[in-house]
Amino acid sequence: MSGEMFAYPCEQQGKSVMATFELPPAGSLILFSPLADPGKYESRAAAVTGKLIPASTPVQVERMQDNVLLMDFCDLIIDGKVERNLYNVEACNKLYQHFGMNNPWNSSIQYRQAIVEKDTFRTGDIQVQYNL
């Protein structure tokens, strides 16, 4: 949060640099690889390690209520042409473009039923696949 820069353990491999790291859920890490003088930065003091406290009872995990699995990426197949790992918004835009339109939900204002009632789509072989 301070903007300070520290050296990070890494290994030079020819013209590449390899670093190993683990991120906790919702964690973040920004790495910078300088072109010259990589030894200019000091190493950060090692984090204090905790100790394992055993559970006094068996751990039970229960779903408290229904939840949602958000899938942001998909494969779009239009008339046999496959485009893989598209962000959903990009896939939606490509689908509208296939039918000669811009995505009205990104570029128009709905007046009464004007957009919903548009009948501009012709049939075709369209599939969307979500990969888990």
Side-chain angles (χ1 to χ4, degrees):
M1 299 302 279
S2 67
E4 290 181 273
M5 294 174 58
F6 297 95
Y8 192 85
C10 62
E11 188 179 309
Q12 187 77 35
Q13 295 182 344
K15 292 184 178 183
S16 300
V17 176
M18 186 176 104
T20 303
F21 54 88
E22 271 187 48
L23 288 178
S28 64
L29 173 68
I30 297 176
L31 297 176
F32 163 69
S33 181
L35 292 175
D37 198 12
K40 154 180 167 179
Y41 302 102
E42 294 179 23
S43 294
R44 175 174 254 166
V48 176
T49 56
K51 69 175 188 177
L52 183 63
I53 301 173
S56 59
T57 61
V59 177
Q60 292 184 337
V61 178
E62 295 180 23
R63 182 175 69 190
M64 304 294 284
Q65 59 189 16
D66 287 341
N67 204 339
V68 174
L69 173 62
L70 183 61
M71 294 182 282
D72 289 328
F73 293 89
C74 65
D75 297 343
L76 178 64
I77 305 164
I78 301 175
D79 295 332
K81 180 183 173 202
V82 180
E83 294 196 54
R84 299 200 182 283
N85 297 320
L86 295 175
Y87 181 57
N88 287 343
V89 174
E90 182 183 5
C92 185
N93 289 338
K94 285 182 181 275
L95 184 58
Y96 276 103
Q97 288 169 0
H98 175 74
F99 289 108
M101 296 175 61
N102 288 322
N103 183 343
W105 306 112
N106 289 342
S107 60
S108 299
I109 296 173
Q110 170 87 313
Y111 178 71
R112 294 190 182 162
Q113 298 288 319
I115 295 172
V116 175
E117 290 175 350
K118 282 187 176 184
D119 186 16
T120 58
F121 296 112
R122 50 190 191 275
T123 60
D125 183 21
I126 298 167
Q127 298 175 35
V128 179
Q129 297 175 346
Y130 297 93
N131 304 309
L132 298 177

